[in-house]
Amino acid sequence: MTSIVINIGNTNIRFGLFDDDNCDISWIINTKPYKTSDELILQFMMLYQTHKIEAESVDKIIIGSVVPQITQDVIRAIKKLHGKAPVLVDRDTPSGVQAKSKQMGTDIYANLVAAHNLYPGKKKIIIDFGTALTASCIAENGETIGVIIAPGIVTALNSLVGQTAQLPEIELVRPKTVLGLDTVSCMQSGMVYGFLGMVEGFIERINDEVDDDCFVIATGGVSHIYKPLTDKIHVLDRLHTLKGLYFLGKDL
């Protein structure tokens, strides 16, 4: 079965083309500025052409969203493009994971579902480096142990640049040294090593609280910057959230 999975986030909309359980192709568009369903149809068509995807060959479309104001426009665009209604999944969609909270975001729930399906038999922590930085923990039996939400790295960087008169926009990369001598490298060190310390602190404190050595998965937009800098993250999977949405919707 061929499926397209769409994860509507606050910063980006990520698409994944699944051939059964395997995601072969993925692409991203910006969430903002918000677009009408007609604009989205044109954008989707162009991306389908780029990736040589025939709309009629897709058996199922699965959507998860944390941005209600654009969700219905995406659904309308998909209906017009594919001639069928997509499957909308959220924290109330049944799975082997016990969400335990009516306030849990669809993305966090999907992260837990993917971890439960892909890495059974152990406690897991999922670090999502998205618009918000989240750390979610799940037990071996699918019980949600808890979640941490902090400002995302790019969100914090944009706030720092926007609220200061002399700090420039920078590329988020690892600096050559921890201690910098110019503004750019000083900021890079603060953003990279500061948030790395936060992430490692989350992992250590969660492990202490659950009295275990959890298996740690990193996902989200800038996760590739932080994974090489620590041995506390075991797996990097940029498509982890998409996989969770796929598991939620594949049998609906």
Side-chain angles (χ1 to χ4, degrees), residues 129 172 218-229 236 238:
F129 293 82
L172 189 61
T219 191
V222 295
S223 53
H224 63 287
I225 296 172
Y226 293 84
K227 168 63 175 74
L229 303 180
L236 169 64
R238 300 281 290 276

Short mmCIF file of all heavy atoms in Angstrom, two decimals, residues 129 172 218-229 236 238:
data_model
loop_
_atom_site.label_atom_id
_atom_site.label_comp_id
_atom_site.label_asym_id
_atom_site.label_seq_id
_atom_site.Cartn_x
_atom_site.Cartn_y
_atom_site.Cartn_z
N PHE A 129 13.63 18.08 18.39
CA PHE A 129 14.24 19.42 18.23
C PHE A 129 13.40 20.22 17.23
O PHE A 129 13.85 20.55 16.14
CB PHE A 129 15.67 19.27 17.70
CG PHE A 129 16.64 18.64 18.66
CD1 PHE A 129 16.72 17.26 18.79
CD2 PHE A 129 17.49 19.42 19.42
CE1 PHE A 129 17.63 16.67 19.65
CE2 PHE A 129 18.41 18.84 20.30
CZ PHE A 129 18.47 17.46 20.41
N LEU A 172 23.25 28.07 12.43
CA LEU A 172 23.32 27.21 13.60
C LEU A 172 24.21 26.01 13.30
O LEU A 172 23.76 24.98 12.80
CB LEU A 172 21.91 26.74 14.00
CG LEU A 172 21.80 26.00 15.34
CD1 LEU A 172 22.23 26.92 16.48
CD2 LEU A 172 20.38 25.53 15.56
N ALA A 218 16.45 10.88 18.77
CA ALA A 218 16.40 12.31 18.44
C ALA A 218 15.71 12.49 17.10
O ALA A 218 15.95 11.74 16.15
CB ALA A 218 17.80 12.90 18.39
N THR A 219 14.85 13.50 17.03
CA THR A 219 14.19 13.82 15.77
C THR A 219 13.98 15.33 15.72
O THR A 219 14.33 16.06 16.63
CB THR A 219 12.84 13.06 15.65
OG1 THR A 219 12.32 13.19 14.32
CG2 THR A 219 11.81 13.57 16.65
N GLY A 220 13.42 15.81 14.61
CA GLY A 220 13.17 17.24 14.49
C GLY A 220 14.22 17.96 13.67
O GLY A 220 15.29 17.43 13.38
N GLY A 221 13.93 19.20 13.35
CA GLY A 221 14.67 19.96 12.35
C GLY A 221 16.16 20.09 12.53
O GLY A 221 16.92 19.97 11.59
N VAL A 222 16.64 20.35 13.76
CA VAL A 222 18.08 20.56 13.97
C VAL A 222 18.71 19.42 14.76
O VAL A 222 19.81 19.57 15.30
CB VAL A 222 18.35 21.92 14.65
CG1 VAL A 222 17.93 23.07 13.75
CG2 VAL A 222 17.67 22.00 16.00
N SER A 223 18.04 18.28 14.83
CA SER A 223 18.56 17.14 15.60
C SER A 223 19.91 16.66 15.08
O SER A 223 20.74 16.17 15.85
CB SER A 223 17.55 15.99 15.58
OG SER A 223 17.18 15.65 14.25
N HIS A 224 20.14 16.84 13.76
CA HIS A 224 21.40 16.36 13.17
C HIS A 224 22.61 17.14 13.69
O HIS A 224 23.75 16.66 13.59
CB HIS A 224 21.33 16.47 11.65
CG HIS A 224 21.18 17.88 11.15
ND1 HIS A 224 20.00 18.59 11.27
CD2 HIS A 224 22.07 18.72 10.56
CE1 HIS A 224 20.17 19.80 10.76
NE2 HIS A 224 21.41 19.90 10.34
N ILE A 225 22.40 18.33 14.22
CA ILE A 225 23.51 19.12 14.77
C ILE A 225 23.94 18.55 16.12
O ILE A 225 25.14 18.53 16.45
CB ILE A 225 23.09 20.59 14.91
CG1 ILE A 225 22.81 21.20 13.53
CG2 ILE A 225 24.17 21.40 15.64
CD1 ILE A 225 22.21 22.59 13.59
N TYR A 226 22.99 18.06 16.90
CA TYR A 226 23.27 17.67 18.27
C TYR A 226 23.63 16.20 18.44
O TYR A 226 24.39 15.87 19.36
CB TYR A 226 22.05 18.03 19.15
CG TYR A 226 21.86 19.51 19.25
CD1 TYR A 226 21.17 20.21 18.26
CD2 TYR A 226 22.41 20.24 20.29
CE1 TYR A 226 21.02 21.58 18.32
CE2 TYR A 226 22.27 21.61 20.37
CZ TYR A 226 21.57 22.28 19.38
OH TYR A 226 21.44 23.64 19.43
N LYS A 227 23.14 15.33 17.58
CA LYS A 227 23.43 13.90 17.73
C LYS A 227 24.93 13.59 17.74
O LYS A 227 25.40 12.81 18.60
CB LYS A 227 22.74 13.11 16.60
CG LYS A 227 23.17 11.65 16.46
CD LYS A 227 22.83 10.82 17.70
CE LYS A 227 23.14 9.34 17.49
NZ LYS A 227 24.58 9.05 17.51
N PRO A 228 25.76 14.17 16.85
CA PRO A 228 27.19 13.82 16.87
C PRO A 228 27.95 14.34 18.09
O PRO A 228 29.09 13.94 18.31
CB PRO A 228 27.73 14.51 15.59
CG PRO A 228 26.53 14.80 14.76
CD PRO A 228 25.43 15.05 15.72
N LEU A 229 27.32 15.19 18.89
CA LEU A 229 28.02 15.83 20.00
C LEU A 229 27.84 15.11 21.33
O LEU A 229 28.42 15.52 22.34
CB LEU A 229 27.54 17.28 20.15
CG LEU A 229 27.68 18.17 18.92
CD1 LEU A 229 27.17 19.57 19.20
CD2 LEU A 229 29.14 18.22 18.46
N LEU A 236 19.36 8.79 15.60
CA LEU A 236 18.84 9.99 14.96
C LEU A 236 17.89 9.57 13.84
O LEU A 236 18.26 8.77 12.97
CB LEU A 236 19.98 10.82 14.36
CG LEU A 236 19.59 11.98 13.43
CD1 LEU A 236 18.80 13.04 14.18
CD2 LEU A 236 20.83 12.60 12.78
N ARG A 238 15.14 11.61 11.47
CA ARG A 238 14.42 12.84 11.11
C ARG A 238 12.96 12.56 10.76
O ARG A 238 12.13 13.46 10.78
CB ARG A 238 15.12 13.51 9.91
CG ARG A 238 16.56 13.92 10.15
CD ARG A 238 16.69 15.20 10.94
NE ARG A 238 16.27 16.37 10.19
CZ ARG A 238 17.05 17.03 9.33
NH1 ARG A 238 18.30 16.63 9.14
NH2 ARG A 238 16.61 18.10 8.71
#
